[in-house]
Amino acid sequence: MSVNNTGVQFYVNGKVATAKADDADMALVDYLHERENLTGTKFCCGVGVCRACTVAVRNQKDAPLEKALSCSTPLSAINGMHVYTVESLGNQDQLAPLQDAFLKHFSFQCGYCTSGFLMAATALLEHLAVTKIEERELDNMIEKWIGGNICRCTGYIRYIAAIREVALPVVRHTAALAATPVSVKLAGGAING
């Protein structure tokens, strides 16, 4: 998709969203608040440093989620992409496992930065589901994905503990799948991997 006179088209939490071409330079966080009434994504520093505004985006239909800073991402940059906000996690009857773990570990105090941590960790979990790592590498991966997120209440240890609790079974499952011999049939015989 390209930005044209009809506007910018993308998806927000699975629903089609169309912004006017005149709004192509509008920050994604402003669009989410003003046009979609999705206020869970927080605006804080406004220059992509604190990462409270982190959302998850999927560049292509089957690609794993990536992090995006909605305060510094114009709508024109997400044309055709899938955007997921904190409102996409869980529902009133059932929280997402990460949300449950954040509550269990009392990861946040004021909660302003929580949606950014949740969406960065959600993207991490998708990467861990398709990328085999050793368990001893998990803390470094968590640091890589949420290390830039700022918590003014300094709840970092509790955020990491909660994310680790949810991510460790994913790492073990991915490792188990990778350890399963794969038989690939080719003309002339099979190759076992």
Side-chain angles (χ1 to χ4, degrees):
M1 287 187 216
S2 61
V3 178
N4 54 39
N5 291 337
T6 60
V8 181
Q9 190 171 49
F10 51 100
Y11 303 87
V12 177
N13 299 336
K15 296 179 182 173
V16 174
T18 303
K20 297 175 185 173
D22 291 346
D23 290 336
D25 293 333
M26 180 182 220
L28 176 58
V29 68
D30 292 334
Y31 179 85
L32 293 171
H33 287 196
E34 296 171 17
R35 307 290 161 75
E36 297 289 334
N37 198 29
L38 296 171
T39 57
T41 302
K42 300 303 181 195
F43 179 85
C44 191
C45 71
V47 292
V49 174
C50 73
R51 302 183 185 200
C53 67
T54 300
V55 295
V57 298
R58 193 179 311 281
N59 297 329
Q60 299 173 4
K61 183 179 176 186
D62 297 326
L65 290 172
E66 300 292 340
K67 304 180 295 182
L69 302 175
S70 64
C71 76
S72 57
T73 300
L75 295 181
S76 59
I78 60 161
N79 195 37
M81 293 185 181
H82 293 257
V83 176
Y84 296 92
T85 68
V86 70
E87 288 89 349
S88 70
L89 304 177
N91 57 48
Q92 291 182 341
D93 298 324
Q94 174 102 32
L95 295 176
L98 276 171
Q99 292 172 309
D100 270 336
F102 278 26
L103 286 172
K104 176 183 169 188
H105 289 273
F106 195 63
S107 301
F108 48 89
Q109 293 180 39
C110 80
Y112 200 81
C113 64
T114 303
S115 61
F117 276 92
L118 278 168
M119 298 317 295
T122 297
L124 166 63
L125 291 177
E126 277 212 9
H127 279 266
L128 292 175
V130 297
T131 306
K132 181 184 175 232
I133 67 165
E134 300 293 327
E135 287 184 32
R136 61 180 153 67
E137 299 174 275
L138 181 56
D139 289 340
N140 287 338
M141 287 294 284
I142 293 171
E143 173 64 25
K144 176 182 172 185
W145 282 81
I146 66 154
N149 288 53
I150 295 174
C151 171
R152 297 182 196 289
C153 304
T154 66
Y156 300 106
I157 299 299
R158 293 177 178 179
Y159 276 122
I160 291 169
I163 294 167
R164 191 172 211 293
E165 180 178 294
V166 177
L168 189 55
V170 176
V171 169
R172 289 177 176 158
H173 179 74
T174 305
L177 291 177
T180 303
V182 177
S183 179
V184 179
K185 284 192 172 185
L186 298 173
I191 297 175
N192 293 320

